[in-house]
Amino acid sequence: MNSDEVKACCADAYAKDVLALLLGDSYHPGGTALTRRLADHLQLTAASRVLDVASGRGTTALLFADAYGVRVDGVDYSAANTALAQGAAQAAGLAERAAFTTGDAEHLPYEDGMFDAVVCECALCTFPDKAKAAAEFARVLKPGGRVGITDVTADPGRLPPELLGLGARIACVADARPLYAYAEILTRAFGALLGQFAQRLAPAVVLGLAYGAVWWTVGALWIMPANMGMPVFEWNDVTSSSLGAHLVYGLLAGVTFSTLAQLAGKRTGRAAG
């Protein structure tokens, strides 16, 4: 089966009423208690906008909208689930804070930098191209945004043959990964986004200036005076002149980093071509 057929099979299975009867409202281990634990780590406010990837019938998204007062968008591969989730939002009086769209996690139908948080519960393990999905998570997050994932972990190399088929994939087992592998996928996705960000001169300069300011604060205001027995975090002629030097250093570091990132991006593009 190709990846689109795998996605369609998983979406069709999770849209069936019998699965809801077997698994209840939450289609993942830990239920809503785990969802609340996840939400508590995301530092949400009433102004936050959250994306729930593979939102199913809307349980996670509606919990976020109701219990945390945030605006939530849910996206699911199944049109049937999208309709059920939207109906559940209307029935719960949450339609103004929760909206649902049919779409592919590997090609999210949202613009760059739209969300304060992206959540994905027991679904990354079913995506055929996990790296592409992770890259999409990174793309739609705002700078400083958070991603929250709950999922099944497994070592595919140690699974028996009967747990490697399509049914086991739908059950979140066959294509699950060890924890370190998920971490690796996400690290690469967000690292690649940072590299693309740094290729633009203005953002790289801002990052460089921020880097210089941080090191001025840590070094000139704190560590150096503390080692010399002087008052820390004190503004004087020495620290003020040091600030200028640190900012110039940060500016040069940002320009250099941007130049190197652009050269690396051009080489990668030529290699891909």
Side-chain angles (χ1 to χ4, degrees):
M1 298 180 72
N2 62 38
S3 62
D4 288 336
E5 290 171 334
V6 170
K7 295 174 193 176
C9 284
C10 288
D12 181 65
Y14 280 104
K16 294 187 180 301
D17 291 337
V18 65
L19 202 64
L21 291 173
L22 290 172
L23 300 179
D25 291 335
S26 294
Y27 288 8
H28 60 82
T32 56
L34 182 60
T35 300
R36 290 177 182 275
R37 182 179 173 186
L38 175 68
D40 290 340
H41 284 285
L42 296 176
Q43 300 180 359
L44 302 174
T45 69
S48 297
R49 186 174 182 183
V50 178
L51 175 64
D52 179 17
V53 180
S55 51
R57 298 188 176 199
T59 301
T60 294
L62 295 179
L63 187 154
F64 271 69
D66 185 34
Y68 297 87
V70 299
R71 180 182 174 186
V72 188
D73 292 79
V75 59
D76 196 89
Y77 201 80
S78 165
N81 273 344
T82 300
L84 288 169
Q86 199 64 56
Q90 293 172 352
L94 295 170
E96 291 185 359
R97 292 207 302 270
F100 297 90
T101 302
T102 301
D104 188 342
E106 297 170 11
H107 305 279
L108 291 172
Y110 303 100
E111 296 178 3
D112 296 358
M114 285 186 63
F115 298 97
D116 299 287
V118 173
V119 298
C120 183
E121 295 206 272
C122 203
L124 182 59
C125 63
T126 67
F127 298 157
D129 192 338
K130 295 170 179 50
K132 176 61 176 173
E136 285 291 275
F137 297 172
R139 180 183 65 79
V140 300
L141 269 180
K142 295 178 181 178
R146 291 172 174 251
V147 60
I149 294 174
T150 63
D151 219 318
V152 173
T153 60
D155 184 347
R158 301 178 64 181
L159 293 174
E162 58 269 23
L163 290 180
L164 295 176
L166 180 60
R169 176 190 279 267
I170 294 171
C172 302
V173 176
D175 207 37
R177 295 287 188 269
L179 181 59
Y180 74 84
Y182 286 128
E184 201 171 83
I185 290 169
L186 292 166
T187 299
R188 287 178 179 174
F190 283 83
L193 182 69
L194 178 61
Q196 294 171 11
F197 183 77
Q199 288 183 31
R200 302 195 296 271
L201 181 60
V205 167
V206 171
L207 287 173
L209 290 172
Y211 175 79
V214 168
W215 273 112
W216 172 74
T217 303
V218 173
L221 291 185
W222 178 28
I223 295 177
M224 187 176 71
N227 287 336
M228 298 175 65
M230 300 169 60
V232 299
F233 298 109
E234 182 177 77
W235 179 265
N236 53 45
D237 292 341
V238 175
T239 56
S240 61
S241 63
S242 176
L243 173 61
H246 278 80
L247 291 178
V248 169
Y249 171 76
L251 176 64
L252 293 174
V255 171
T256 301
F257 186 55
S258 177
T259 302
L260 293 174
Q262 289 177 32
L263 290 173
K266 290 179 181 178
R267 288 175 183 171
T268 302
R270 286 198 296 269

